Amino acid sequence: MGCGSTGAANDLTGATAIATRMVREFGLSKALGPVGYATENPDYLRGDSQPSVVPRPYSEQTQRIVDQEVARLLRAAEVRATDLLRAHRAALDCLAAVLVDRETVDGSVVLDVLHAETDGAVEGAPHGRPLGVS
């Protein structure tokens, strides 16, 4: 935390696609209201992951609002994610230590670390043997 990385490029692309669909197709925009501008051939019916190129059924002004709403949603999600990571920094550090030792973990190890944090067993940076490591 505290520095940027190119490792999240694919995540940002996916998050942007989801936020765009939330605004354009699902009517989940405060600025536009409950309006859906669905594509003619929804991606889930096309069978491939390439976005369809369909003329927009709305004005340039509406596109500006869509862009602003997508940016707003992504910024809000970034703030929430950063706040959660800061709030659970000790568990994050503990999990990082487990990953350094094992390289991969399954969901049960992540849950063990989070439960240990909830139970007060994780204090600050991990000391000695990290949780979940035999």
Side-chain angles (χ1 to χ4, degrees), residues 31-89:
L32 291 174
V35 176
Y37 298 107
T39 59
E40 290 179 19
N41 296 316
D43 291 339
Y44 60 87
L45 296 178
R46 292 171 12 111
D48 63 13
S49 61
Q50 297 300 319
S52 58
V53 179
V54 177
R56 286 189 313 261
Y58 46 81
S59 69
E60 285 294 322
Q61 176 61 27
T62 300
Q63 181 61 50
R64 279 196 240 10
I65 296 170
V66 167
D67 292 342
Q68 291 167 353
E69 286 292 283
V70 167
R72 181 187 62 77
L73 287 170
L74 292 173
R75 278 191 218 95
E78 178 187 28
V79 167
R80 178 159 161 57
T82 302
D83 289 348
L84 285 169
L85 289 171
R86 284 190 181 121
H88 299 282
R89 182 62 194 242

